Amino acid sequence: MTRCYDAWAEQYPEEEYLQGGRSCYHRRRVGGGRSCPPTIVDVCARTCSFCNDSISLVDALLARRQAVDQAAPRFIAKGGRLIVDEATFFLKGVNWFGSEGTNVAPLGLRHRSIDELMTFLATHNFNAIRLPFNHAAVLANERVPAQAFDARKNPELVGVHYLEMLRILAKRAAEAGLLVLPTCHRMSAGEWPGDGLWFSASLTEQQAVTSWQHVAKTLCTEWNVMGADLQNEPHAASWGRGRPLDWNAAAERMGNVLLGECARWLIFVEGVGWEGGAPECDPDCAGQSLFWGENLLGVASAPLKLADPTKLVYSPHFYGPSVFEMPYMREAAFPLNLPAVWDRHFGFVKHATGQPVVVGEFGGTLQGKDAVWHIQAIRYLAEREMGFFYFGLQPESTDTGGLLKADWETPEDEKLLLLSQAPSSNVLDLVRLKPPPPPLPEMAALPPSPPSAHPPAHKKGGRARHRPLPPSSVEPPLLWPPAPPPAPTFPPFRHERTDCIGWCENGEPVRLGFIAEAYDRGASLFDRSPLHSASALTAFGARLACISL
């Protein structure tokens, strides 16, 4: 049986485990062919015997991964713009926070479903979400606590682990035609604002890199995940001073590692603050009135040099007077003085380096003086052709508010109207069907499982769909993945809890695709995409995997 195990380990050396328990692939491979532990022998033994014949299945699944990767939009940074298929892509995104903090899941999921919120954003012409996480949560990868969301509204999150939650959010975003940009927002859930660096006393740079590698392994094959925002607001770091705390040097190291993990991703690099400064504002940048993450002054003398320069995006943050009223906001020339301030802090980068600038955070309450600031900021970004992620979706931010009011139902119409002036490209126009991967090989059926002692649960309702593509005189492009065939039905199987394959919550029949993702992802059983050959794994998928739908 070593043929299958060795092939699996060769492709996924760090994904040979299941969350909550070592898989039988790992147990048998490292154990010299020893039998699975008695506590999991019923499921594990059948899996191990099947594995010897499934090397062709693994190959087919790898081909499927490659096909999805080929279908993803290929963003490049060129001429100060984001380019896809030789056309400028206008990014209009929003920040959705909560998953970086103690709530673990993004805020709002006690009030609304994931699909409702994705549809809300798509309806208002947003095309991307900036999704924060923290390194400690990624490395621990524990289950998302039940109190973080309403299980009736979001049943897909029940029992899942942190990384799987991020993948589910990305998949739901894809259905709505939304891109996703994961970003490390803090070292651990309770560390805010932290030390203002990309590491801390409790987490080394190497651990931060390892965390990002886990994120890349989880999300790279989701076609709509566009890149990585390496670190939120490293305000205590310096830039271009030849010091150990130079953020530009660290960003090059981390960015090149991530490009090795996911070559198609864009690498977003934020600015620093005023403390560490840059040669352009010695001895420090305190007199420049800079928000955390806004300071890209050092790019003038020390631009980043990634292994692939077409993947570099600079991503400053800036805010209005509702967050903090900077001295230049009190000048008589306000707000006409704002473009010159922004050009000095980060706007020059496009022309100086040829790299695009995408603002990672900006926003405010849109009240009083802040409304004047908003109008000027949105006009500036449109004129300079800079994409952005507005802050933010949720109302819990006291100094900015959100796009929804406190009830999570009522839109902030004034904000949405103002933001409607920003250009926004249609993501779904970019995703076209590539040649399909080879069909999965036919496999012999496994012995039947014992009859179920539990009736199958009711199937949950359908999810909200993304907005339709605009009408066209030509045949509309096919989307990846193709529409699934009707799902086959399976007889009930025994309600059984096991650490080998998954966790059966209610004995409900499993849909095809779960066991394929177990091979494809290192045993993630929550995927809902169909297999290309329904008959290939009917018995295998029905009897060796179980999860609550």
Side-chain angles (χ1 to χ4, degrees), residues 10 122 131 163 177 191 215 257 290 349 353 360 370 398 466 486-487 543:
E10 185 176 319
L131 189 63
L163 283 169
E191 290 185 78
V215 172
V257 170
L290 293 154
V349 169
T353 67
D370 196 79
T398 56
H466 56 70
R543 298 189 175 109

Side-chain angles (χ1 to χ4, degrees), residues 135-136 138-139 187 198-214 254:
H135 284 316
V138 169
L139 295 172
M187 300 299 107
W198 61 96
F199 61 92
S200 69
S202 60
L203 191 134
T204 66
E205 178 179 319
Q206 182 53 54
Q207 288 174 309
V209 169
T210 300
S211 170
W212 264 118
Q213 288 175 313
H214 290 326
M254 297 171 71

